Amino acid sequence: MLSPFTANTPQMLSVSQLSRYLKEVLETDDILQDVWVLGEISDCKTYPSGHCYFTLKDGEAQLLCVFFKRARLRSSALELHNGMAVAANGRISFYERDGKLQLYVESVEPLGAGALFVRFEQLKALLAAEGLFDAERKRPLPPQPAVIGIVTSPQAAALRDMLRVLQTRYPLARVILSPTLVQGAEAPAAIAAALDLLNEHGEADVIILGRGGGSLEELWAFNEEIVARAIARSRIPIVSGIGHEVDFTIADFVADHRASTPTAAATAAVPNIADWHADILAIQRTLTERIQNRLADLHADLERAQHDLERASPQYQLDRHQQQLDDMTARLQTRMQHILSLHGERLRGTALRLHSLSPLLTIARGYAVVRRESDHTVVTSVQQTKPGDDLTIQVSDGNLYTTVRS
Amino acid sequence: MESLSFEEAFTRLEAAAAALQDGQIPLERALHFYEEGMKLAQHCNELLQKAELRVQQLTRDDADVPVVQSFELE
């Protein structure tokens, strides 16, 4: 072996020398030259050259992997993508130029649901059993939060997005940023500490826990138990907005309100002052309407009072008496007219009856009235005449003149 | 009135509108509520128009006590 080390002479090495040595050590180890590694794929990139680079992770550690085109073609490997749990076979070596220890992959076998996914499900089941996701635990968000706590990275675009939404929708608020890392090994503890800090400070009325979109690994901090516990013990209601619409983290399940993105979380946390402009306008209208109604009522009252006053005046009494007098005169006249017409009726009736009794009617039916010429006495018996008397016989249309013969 | 916060002004605005609903209050009081209500509405609108989101950052001081500092987006 070409070891630069000897038992008792400490040696100074150049980086290249050390790198070459490392490479040799690795490449002469039988185990490392044909090894199967279990892990989850992330940061997977395939270049136009056909070479594929990815990282294998298992939550505690990670390993860089290179899958060259010829190996891929030889192994007829499946399409690799992030989050995939696989067993990768290959050899370990050291890439001197970049100082990287890498797995040079020969073949890849899928392992079904990813290991991270298994951890996710286990923690989810544990916290669900403890009741941390129960609907009864969810607190309502304050309708008008004066102070809004934000737990996120101060450098992230997510913070900018959230502040923009808050400025537009609810600029009356004060924002207190409790900065934290949002990815990496230290992120879970940092997020929990940032939540606790806001609670200790105590001024925030609501907390937005936000992080922009990213890979499963980048969002992983929000699936850690320490974060879930910090959300659960927060005395201040929490809105989560982590990743994109499709991403669901443990933090989302524990939060009082889950929004799909940081922007949506900021939207959910505050009312919209645009609605308030409308409310204020509506109240102004109500005010005007009510004062106008009030004035109209008073005006009506005034008119009524004026009317009452007029009725009480002497002139009104005089007018009223005059009217009564006129009424009575008119009634008297009507009554008089009635009586007169009644008498007229009675007179006509009597005249008719008189007519029906007239002897002229009897004559018309063929009877005659005989009168003595000398004294116009009506002759009703032969005893009243003697021969030679002149008689007048009245019939319907004239008189006959005759002389009694016997 | 100038010193009223939006919430205070809005609450008083709503109270003025409610008071006006009572047809029994004297006219002078009603007119007072009306004028006050209109001024409050104006004040509310102005507050909304000129409101600027204030952003602070929370850290711990040397004694480990939470303190807020001003914060500017980078």
Side-chain angles (χ1 to χ4, degrees):
Chain A
M1 190 160 185
L2 302 167
S3 171
F5 298 99
T6 57
N8 35 21
T9 355
Q11 265 194 287
M12 303 290 262
L13 298 178
S14 69
V15 175
S16 311
Q17 283 174 315
L18 178 64
S19 298
R20 268 199 302 278
Y21 176 67
L22 276 173
K23 191 175 165 79
E24 255 188 48
V25 168
L26 295 171
E27 289 185 352
T28 50
D29 185 301
D30 289 344
I31 293 174
L32 295 180
Q33 288 313 294
D34 183 11
V35 67
W36 283 92
V37 188
L38 300 180
E40 188 166 288
I41 293 178
S42 65
D43 300 328
C44 181
K45 288 189 194 87
T46 304
Y47 286 92
S49 62
H51 301 330
C52 175
Y53 302 86
F54 59 90
T55 305
L56 271 185
K57 288 189 180 179
D58 69 356
E60 265 86 46
Q62 47 184 289
L63 176 67
L64 295 172
C65 300
V66 187
F67 201 4
F68 287 124
K69 184 179 178 184
R70 70 185 148 70
R72 289 176 65 216
L73 293 177
R74 198 166 49 227
S75 70
S76 65
L78 64 166
E79 202 62 45
L80 302 182
H81 54 81
N82 292 335
M84 208 176 196
V86 294
N89 173 243
R91 61 188 176 83
I92 297 289
S93 186
F94 192 73
Y95 184 34
E96 297 141 285
R97 200 198 74 186
D98 291 355
K100 287 180 190 165
L101 186 141
Q102 301 186 126
L103 176 69
Y104 291 82
V105 180
E106 292 297 331
S107 68
V108 172
E109 298 294 335
L111 282 184
L116 287 177
F117 182 69
V118 171
R119 267 180 69 186
F120 178 89
E121 287 300 315
Q122 279 171 347
L123 180 60
K124 191 176 153 193
L126 173 76
L127 298 179
E130 283 183 35
L132 257 57
F133 305 159
D134 289 358
E136 302 85 69
R137 288 193 81 256
K138 310 283 180 203
R139 288 161 297 192
L141 305 180
Q144 291 166 28
V147 181
I148 299 162
I150 295 184
V151 173
T152 196
S153 160
Q155 286 87 30
L159 175 61
R160 210 176 304 266
D161 291 344
M162 288 189 275
L163 292 179
R164 195 177 55 238
V165 169
L166 295 176
Q167 168 63 42
T168 308
R169 284 178 63 90
Y170 198 63
L172 300 166
R174 179 158 60 96
V175 170
I176 299 181
L177 171 68
S178 185
T180 177
L181 294 167
V182 289
Q183 71 185 69
E186 286 156 34
I191 294 167
L195 288 169
D196 288 343
L197 183 60
L198 273 172
N199 273 278
E200 191 182 331
H201 184 242
E203 281 185 14
D205 300 307
V206 65
I207 295 175
I208 304 172
L209 176 58
R211 194 214 183 282
S215 70
L216 180 69
E217 288 74 20
E218 285 167 341
L219 299 182
W220 191 256
F222 296 88
N223 287 322
E224 293 289 350
E225 185 170 355
I226 187 174
V227 173
R229 301 271 177 213
I231 294 171
R233 71 172 165 262
S234 173
R235 281 174 287 106
I236 303 165
I238 293 179
V239 191
S240 69
I242 297 151
H244 293 302
E245 285 79 357
V246 293
D247 300 318
F248 259 96
T249 63
I250 297 285
D252 286 320
F253 290 112
V254 191
D256 294 285
H257 182 91
R258 186 255 171 183
S260 55
T261 62
T263 305
T267 305
V270 294
N272 190 355
I273 57 163
D275 299 337
W276 292 12
H277 281 298
D279 288 350
I280 292 167
L281 197 65
I283 295 178
Q284 273 180 305
R285 286 214 189 93
T286 308
L287 281 174
T288 306
E289 213 168 82
R290 284 183 182 160
I291 199 74
Q292 277 174 349
N293 286 346
R294 184 67 201 276
L295 291 173
D297 285 351
L298 288 174
H299 200 67
D301 287 349
L302 191 61
E303 269 190 3
R304 210 164 24 245
Q306 241 170 352
H307 190 65
D308 289 350
L309 200 63
E310 280 168 11
R311 281 171 58 133
S313 80
Q315 183 60 50
Y316 179 80
Q317 295 294 341
L318 279 178
D319 287 350
R320 205 162 62 91
H321 289 148
Q322 180 64 56
Q323 193 181 7
Q324 279 173 346
L325 196 60
D326 290 348
D327 279 356
M328 278 158 88
T329 311
R331 285 227 300 276
L332 207 60
Q333 277 174 348
T334 313
R335 190 94 191 125
M336 201 59 221
Q337 216 81 52
H338 184 65
I339 289 166
L340 284 175
S341 72
L342 218 59
H343 282 295
E345 285 294 323
R346 203 175 295 161
L347 193 62
R348 263 197 301 281
T350 310
L352 275 174
R353 262 205 313 287
L354 209 59
H355 181 68
S356 69
L357 295 175
S358 166
L360 294 178
L361 288 176
T362 312
I363 293 165
R365 290 207 301 275
Y367 296 89
V369 179
V370 180
R371 285 190 184 85
R372 215 161 39 210
E373 275 276 3
S374 52
D375 57 359
H376 297 287
T377 317
V378 174
V379 178
T380 59
S381 161
V382 291
Q383 259 79 44
Q384 288 176 267
T385 62
K386 59 190 190 288
D389 281 353
D390 291 327
L391 299 175
T392 308
I393 301 165
Q394 187 184 359
V395 293
S396 65
D397 56 352
N399 294 337
L400 300 168
Y401 303 95
T402 186
T403 306
V404 179
R405 281 196 306 242
S406 58
Chain B
M1 180 171 300
E2 288 308 304
S3 62
L4 286 182
S5 76
F6 178 85
E7 287 77 9
E8 289 165 339
F10 192 79
T11 307
R12 279 178 58 175
L13 173 58
E14 286 181 311
L20 264 193
Q21 200 167 21
D22 177 6
Q24 302 306 310
I25 54 167
L27 177 62
E28 204 175 324
R29 295 281 295 152
L31 285 170
H32 165 75
F33 278 128
Y34 174 72
E35 277 168 25
E36 192 194 50
M38 286 314 224
K39 278 182 202 154
L40 285 165
Q42 172 85 16
H43 181 59
C44 283
N45 275 325
E46 280 170 7
L47 282 181
L48 289 186
Q49 264 150 28
K50 67 182 185 205
E52 277 282 344
L53 194 70
R54 279 176 299 156
V55 185
Q56 298 172 320
Q57 181 169 239
L58 188 57
T59 53
R60 287 186 190 277
D61 65 11
D62 296 338
D64 208 28
V65 175
V67 284
V68 289
Q69 306 167 338
S70 66
F71 175 79
E72 293 296 326
L73 264 185
E74 287 152 35

